[in-house]
Amino acid sequence: MLSARAALGIGPGAGTLALVPTMGALHEGHRSLIRLAREHADHVAVSIFVNPLQFGPNEDFSRYPRTFDADLEVCAAEGVSLVFAPAAEEMYLPDRQVSVSSGQMGTIVEGSFRPGHFDGVLTVVLKLFNLVQPDTAVFGQKDAQQLAMIRRMVADLNVPVTVVGAPTVREPDGLALSSRNRYLSPADRVTALALSAALREGARHARPAEILRAAGAVLDEAAQAEPPLVLDYLSLVDPATFTAVGDDHQGEAILAVAARVGGTRLIDNVIVTLTH
Ligand code: AMP
């Protein structure tokens, strides 16, 4: 099979290629990744693939938004050189056996609520790397554990791709952009603002107990709203390992939250700096 690199005629010494993997339904967050990718390479490829492997049996795979024509327009407007949008049957052989294991790190925090999710993510990302053969790949900090797991895979499996993290793009009121935001009713959206508000409150503090208390208070209040916010987790973790940080931790940590509002599951996080 021809790699995307070969299809673009990027041979040795003929320029660099950055990949932005997405599941489509492209929004301003994806656009920011594409722009960052352009700063890192001569050509940008975007993959659009709603990966069945990373969805659990009771998750939203079948109703996940698919807006391919609009996505192609976004890619054209952003000067993307190549869009790779395979069908599921092209990506996965019916008799496939071998996949990537995300290890213990894939079973904690987000992984404890979505068994098998990170195995599915890492398997598709490694396949996309092999098919496209980019020099660089850009991922959003919005999915912080995904970014950490991809860095882990690249280190553990000596994958020859440079991983670049991109900051989270938000609505003016703080809501992190997500393809799933279109599921939110106007009332859901008001309740959903508690995720980013909680993270903001938490980030005003510098000690783990205070950070968690301040963020937790905002989420507790939203749990009484109509519709209520139903919390999956609020965790303060090491950015590289996603293990919980204790009071002795110095430097950066990630305050991560996941919650359901109406039928929609949302995640968000911020980087906080811990001092004693
Ligand atoms: P998705 O299409 O949701 O799988 O996301 C594709 C890429 O876009 C992932 O690397 C995400 O982390 C990133 N992304 C999603 N939402 C945002 C956002 N609001 N800001 C920045 N990057 C994002």
Side-chain angles (χ1 to χ4, degrees):
M1 191 193 241
L2 199 65
S3 72
R5 170 182 287 280
L8 288 169
I10 307 175
T16 53
L17 177 63
L19 171 66
V20 179
T22 81
M23 297 202 298
L26 300 182
H27 51 64
E28 215 32 65
H30 298 113
R31 281 180 182 254
S32 76
L33 267 54
I34 294 169
R35 289 180 200 140
L36 186 60
R38 297 180 62 137
E39 290 175 23
H40 284 267
D42 303 317
H43 304 271
V44 176
V46 169
S47 61
I48 298 176
F49 182 60
V50 185
N51 174 30
L53 244 54
Q54 71 190 69
F55 287 79
N58 299 316
E59 295 183 0
D60 57 345
F61 173 70
S62 54
R63 73 178 186 124
Y64 194 84
R66 289 162 170 88
T67 60
F68 189 62
D69 292 343
D71 293 347
L72 286 184
E73 281 175 28
V74 168
C75 290
E78 294 294 342
V80 168
S81 299
L82 182 130
V83 175
F84 180 55
E89 312 79 66
E90 289 176 293
M91 281 296 269
Y92 296 117
L93 299 171
D95 59 346
R96 70 182 192 89
Q97 295 286 321
V98 177
S99 58
V100 179
S101 165
S102 55
Q104 206 267 335
M105 190 177 162
T107 68
I108 59 176
V109 195
E110 182 72 359
S112 70
F113 287 86
R114 303 188 70 186
H117 170 68
F118 288 115
D119 293 358
V121 168
L122 295 185
T123 298
V124 81
V125 167
L126 188 60
K127 286 170 69 76
L128 290 169
F129 285 179
N130 288 334
L131 289 162
V132 176
Q133 297 183 14
D135 302 283
T136 302
V138 182
F139 296 88
Q141 180 68 35
K142 160 78 168 41
D143 298 278
Q145 190 171 0
Q146 170 174 286
L147 175 59
M149 292 251 40
I150 289 163
R151 290 192 195 282
R152 193 69 255 168
M153 174 177 77
V154 162
D156 287 349
L157 301 183
N158 306 94
V159 181
V161 175
T162 301
V163 174
V164 173
T168 300
V169 177
R170 298 177 180 281
E171 302 277 9
D173 61 9
L175 184 72
L177 295 192
S178 164
S179 304
R180 290 187 170 99
N181 288 353
R182 68 188 69 200
Y183 301 150
L184 299 171
S185 71
D188 291 343
R189 202 186 171 292
V190 173
T191 299
L193 282 178
L195 277 88
S196 55
L199 299 177
R200 267 199 316 277
E201 278 306 303
R204 295 174 55 202
H205 299 269
R207 292 196 189 86
E210 289 168 16
I211 291 168
L212 290 168
R213 191 175 334 106
V218 177
L219 297 169
D220 286 347
E221 198 179 318
Q224 307 301 318
E226 192 46 52
L229 177 145
V230 181
L231 185 66
D232 276 355
Y233 61 81
L234 171 71
S235 303
L236 188 64
V237 297
D238 181 287
T241 64
F242 264 69
T243 54
V245 300
D247 278 325
D248 55 343
H249 187 95
Q250 291 269 22
E252 288 194 339
I254 288 178
L255 181 60
V257 64
R260 284 161 287 135
V261 178
T264 307
R265 189 171 181 280
L266 300 169
I267 63 171
D268 199 355
N269 70 87
V270 287
I271 298 170
V272 294
T273 304
L274 304 182
T275 54
H276 286 297

